[in-house]
Amino acid sequence: MLFRSGASSDHWRHNLPVLAQYHRVFAIDLLGFGFSAKPTPGSQRTPDQIPYTFTTWGEQLVAFCKEIVGGPVFLVGNSIGCVVALQTAVLAPDSVRGLVLLNCSLRQFHERKQASLAWHEQIAVPWIQRLLSNKTVSRLFFSAIARPTTLKTILKQAYVNSDAVTDDLVNLLLAPAREPGAAEVFTAFLRYSQGPLAEDLLPQIQSPVLIAWGEADPWEPIDLGRNLANFAAVEEFITLPGVGHCPQDEAPQRVNPMLLEWLHRHGSGPIPEAGGLD
C-alpha cells in the first residue's frame, strides 16, 4: 500500500501503473487527507469528531488490511506517511510484511525536539501553533497556502527538478484542498506536535525496513535521516542524489525499480526484465 499525509493518492500516479504490472497495489488517502472523509478534529473520538493522530491513521490501515486486502501487506510511505507506516506495523505486526520509508519525516517541531531548535524557532513554533487554533486565523492561513502560485513555490522548494512541478501536479494536490473540512484538518495537523517519532517506533518493528532518501531534501536533512539506519530492522539506507522530498513523484524512474527489486528480494513478485518499467 502506498500513502502519504498532506497530499492524496494521486501523488503516486507515476508508481501505481508500474507496480501494478507485478503486484496488487492500493494507494490510500489517510483519514482527513485527499478525498477521504474529514470529520471535525477533536481530542476525543465521538460520532462527529476524531483526533488526527498516528494511532488513528494506523488503526485505519490495520482495518483496511483486514477488511479490504485480506492479508499482510508491504507498506510504502513518504514523509509523514512513513511514521504512519511504522505506527501500523507496531499496532499489527502480523499485518505488515515489510516497510519502505521514503524521506521519513523527522518531526523536527515535535515537542520533545523543540529545545534543540534555534532560539527564534523555539519561540515561534509554539506561538504559531497557538495562533492556528483560532478558526478565523487558520482558515485565512489555509486559503493563502491553497493557491496555485503559493503551492507551486512550495513544491519548487521540495523538488530539485523544477520541471517536475507541473500544473497537473499543482492541480491534483489542490483538488482535495477544496473538500469541506480540509482547512480544519490541515491546521489541526500543523498543531500536532505530540505522538511518536520514527526513532520511537523503529525499535519495535519486527518486519524488514528499507529507507531511501532524496539527498537534496531541504525539509528532512539526510544527515539526520541517516541516524535511522542504526536500528536493527533497517536492512538498507539508499541515497538518491539530486532528488528532493518526494522521490516517488520526482524520480519514479529510480524509485520504481528499487521498490520492485526490494519486493522481489522479500519473496513478492518477479524482477522485471530490462525495459519492463516503461
Side-chain angles (χ1 to χ4, degrees):
M1 293 196 297
L2 314 171
F3 51 91
R4 58 162 286 136
S5 296
S8 73
S9 55
D10 287 337
H11 213 180
W12 300 92
R13 68 200 189 284
H14 297 316
N15 317 104
L16 281 168
V18 174
L19 299 179
Q21 294 178 53
Y22 309 96
H23 301 276
R24 186 181 178 211
V25 186
F26 299 89
I28 307 300
D29 281 343
L30 296 173
L31 191 66
F33 295 101
F35 294 101
S36 283
K38 299 171 181 59
T40 300
S43 58
Q44 302 295 323
R45 193 169 300 190
T46 68
D48 58 353
Q49 290 189 354
I50 197 164
Y52 287 98
T53 66
F54 291 109
T55 298
T56 296
W57 292 314
E59 290 173 348
Q60 175 192 357
L61 293 186
V62 171
F64 189 90
C65 291
K66 293 179 179 178
E67 298 173 18
I68 305 299
V69 180
V73 300
F74 290 94
L75 300 176
V76 182
N78 171 227
S79 190
I80 283 290
C82 299
V83 186
V84 178
L86 291 167
Q87 180 69 81
T88 304
V90 168
L91 290 174
D94 292 341
S95 295
V96 180
R97 295 176 62 186
L99 303 97
V100 179
L101 313 180
L102 304 175
N103 290 58
C104 182
S105 174
L106 300 170
R107 305 199 67 204
Q108 296 176 83
F109 294 150
H110 191 281
E111 61 183 11
R112 281 190 271 137
K113 292 187 174 183
Q114 289 182 13
S116 63
L117 296 174
W119 68 267
H120 60 281
E121 292 177 320
Q122 293 183 39
I123 296 171
V125 171
W127 182 81
I128 291 171
Q129 290 176 329
R130 286 194 297 271
L131 190 62
L132 289 175
S133 64
N134 180 286
K135 289 185 178 181
T136 300
V137 172
S138 66
R139 287 173 182 167
L140 288 171
F141 174 78
F142 184 76
S143 65
I145 294 291
R147 295 176 179 174
T149 53
T150 306
L151 182 56
K152 183 172 284 191
T153 299
I154 294 171
L155 289 170
K156 285 186 175 180
Q157 295 174 3
Y159 284 56
V160 175
N161 177 14
S162 60
D163 291 340
V165 182
T166 63
D167 289 341
D168 285 343
L169 173 62
V170 171
N171 290 333
L172 72 85
L173 293 178
L174 278 180
R178 302 185 180 101
E179 293 276 296
E184 288 76 12
V185 174
F186 180 74
T187 52
F189 176 69
L190 291 181
R191 301 194 306 272
Y192 179 42
S193 295
Q194 298 78 38
L197 299 163
E199 52 264 42
D200 299 328
L201 298 169
L202 273 166
Q204 306 175 61
I205 299 299
Q206 301 175 23
S207 47
V209 178
L210 169 66
I211 299 179
W213 215 283
E215 191 174 41
D217 188 340
W219 297 342
E220 306 293 350
I222 190 169
D223 289 343
L224 297 178
R226 290 184 196 279
N227 294 328
L228 300 182
N230 296 327
F231 292 95
V234 179
E235 290 188 342
E236 191 174 1
F237 187 102
I238 297 176
T239 298
L240 300 171
V243 178
H245 185 64
C246 304
Q248 79 280 6
D249 188 62
E250 185 178 359
Q253 74 283 1
R254 294 158 73 179
V255 170
N256 290 335
M258 177 190 71
L259 293 177
L260 289 168
E261 191 281 329
W262 191 78
L263 290 169
H264 172 79
R265 189 193 316 169
H266 291 282
S268 181
I271 296 181
E273 296 180 3
L277 297 178
D278 295 339

